[in-house]
Amino acid sequence: MGYQSIDVAPLAGAMGAEIHGVDLASELTNQQFDEIHQAHLDYLTIVFRDQKLTPPQQADFARRFGTLEIYPFLKGIEGAPEVVELIKTEVDTENFGGVWHSDTTYQEKPVMGSMLYAHEVPDAGGDTLYANMYLAYESLSDGLKELLDGLKAHNNSAQLYRGGRAKKMEKLAGMKDQYNTESDVLEALHPVVRTHPETGRKALYVNRSHTERFENMTAEESTPLLHYLCDHSIRPEFTCRVKWEPGTLAFWDNRCTQHFAINDYPGKRRRMHRVIIEGDTPH
Ligand code: OGA
Ligand code: MN
């Protein structure tokens, strides 16, 4: 489709586009909104530069795409409960989101999309990688597609957190006070291949961070194939890379992508605001 009200500049061959010519703090016209929505479906991750957004303005923009959801593991910031702050400080060694994943696949209804807005970023480092799960699925052999098409997998919020999420969060100096200690381990069973509710395309839907095992199989039996699929999913030719500047906002389609926060800026600070939008039950 041709875009009339926005400029769309692809970031890589597989996915991702920068969108120029729109001020997200202003009231968008229906045409602008429709084209942004279309670009989100076409490019899976869309990136806006030089935006000036207060937390309520970021939440208002996100609300055009659906109902905002409260992230179960972090408290929202003061005055904007749907906005969480992701901070890595000068003294932190671990980061948040540093394993390939799609967001909240341990929920019955994982989020449709996430919007991350950069406040403070290092001069170099702290980029985010994204991968296209349509391409991950489409590039599998017919035999493996057939095997996976009927399978389901258990996704678990504690999967990578031996000793619990609280243990991991304690290690994040900048974020540990935001940790919501009341939240419990969450678990959901989802198809390994899901059909995107808007585009009708099939996408691979397992990830290293949250997917534990296939339904009716042990973890031991599942792990070799899960590892293969997770490695396959992030082949370089399926990815794009977003370099952040203060004022950059990225909005990814969580139904057909994975992402990875690169931890390559020791001693530097990075501070982002995130909102998430409700999704539906994967089919
Ligand atoms: C997230 C996440 C990546 C980043 O916000 O869901 O994984 O680069 N963040 O901070
Ligand atoms: Mn994430």
Side-chain angles (χ1 to χ4, degrees):
M1 127 171 191
Y3 297 98
Q4 262 107 51
S5 63
I6 54 174
D7 284 326
V8 178
L11 279 172
M15 64 172 296
E18 280 197 16
I19 297 190
H20 300 279
V22 55
D23 173 7
L24 301 180
S26 69
E27 186 89 22
L28 300 179
T29 65
N30 286 338
Q31 185 182 14
Q32 280 175 318
F33 172 75
D34 288 346
E35 293 190 358
I36 291 169
H37 178 217
Q38 190 59 47
H40 189 243
L41 295 175
D42 290 346
Y43 291 95
L44 323 189
T45 295
I46 51 178
V47 178
F48 301 85
R49 300 292 187 185
D50 303 318
Q51 301 295 321
K52 291 239 169 345
L53 294 171
T54 63
Q57 285 171 324
Q58 183 183 352
D60 284 347
F61 173 55
R63 223 175 266 114
R64 296 278 314 242
F65 294 88
T67 306
L68 301 190
E69 178 151 330
I70 301 290
Y71 182 59
F73 297 109
L74 290 173
K75 294 173 195 144
I77 66 171
E78 192 143 350
E82 309 96 338
V83 180
V84 299
E85 188 158 77
L86 309 183
I87 312 185
K88 182 170 179 276
T89 67
E90 291 85 342
V91 300
D92 278 313
T93 52
E94 301 203 15
N95 70 341
F96 179 90
V99 177
W100 278 100
H101 64 285
S102 68
D103 290 330
T104 77
T105 65
Y106 43 74
Q107 292 182 315
E108 287 307 325
K109 295 183 178 198
V111 300
M112 173 278 263
S114 308
M115 252 180 218
L116 195 60
Y117 176 62
H119 283 271
E120 294 173 62
V121 293
D123 289 340
D127 296 356
T128 305
L129 298 173
Y130 294 88
N132 179 332
M133 293 305 106
Y134 295 135
L135 293 182
Y137 174 72
E138 288 160 9
S139 58
L140 296 171
S141 65
D142 289 345
L144 189 48
K145 278 185 193 146
E146 209 173 301
L147 177 83
L148 298 178
D149 271 335
L151 274 186
K152 290 186 175 172
H154 293 277
N155 291 260
N156 191 310
S157 65
Q159 149 97 342
L160 281 187
Y161 305 92
R162 252 173 232 125
R165 244 170 205 264
K167 269 253 152 16
K168 154 99 183 173
M169 296 306 293
E170 265 169 31
K171 290 195 213 147
L172 306 180
M175 290 174 68
K176 63 175 194 296
D177 293 339
Q178 295 181 59
Y179 186 65
N180 181 3
T181 47
E182 275 153 42
S183 52
D184 208 351
V185 174
L186 299 176
E187 219 256 353
L189 186 64
H190 292 307
V192 168
V193 178
R194 74 179 288 188
T195 301
H196 193 291
E198 293 185 78
T199 65
R201 291 176 72 186
K202 286 182 177 181
L204 194 56
Y205 199 59
V206 293
N207 70 85
R208 182 83 73 196
S209 197
H210 308 315
T211 312
E212 193 176 24
R213 62 183 179 88
F214 298 113
E215 185 182 27
N216 300 325
M217 295 188 210
T218 65
E220 227 173 7
E221 290 167 332
S222 308
T223 299
L225 181 52
L226 278 176
H227 276 187
Y228 172 76
L229 293 172
C230 291
D231 288 343
H232 166 80
S233 291
I234 56 163
R235 273 165 45 180
E237 64 270 32
F238 303 154
T239 69
C240 74
R241 178 167 181 147
V242 172
K243 176 171 170 53
W244 301 90
E245 291 157 10
T248 300
L249 181 139
F251 175 29
W252 58 90
D253 189 335
N254 198 54
R255 301 165 292 191
C256 53
T257 62
Q258 289 193 46
H259 55 281
F260 178 97
I262 303 176
N263 189 5
D264 61 349
Y265 51 105
K268 305 262 169 56
R269 220 176 128 79
R270 181 178 186 267
R271 189 170 65 87
M272 323 286 276
H273 279 179
R274 184 180 83 161
V275 296
I276 50 180
I277 300 157
E278 262 181 33
D280 49 19
T281 305
H283 294 292

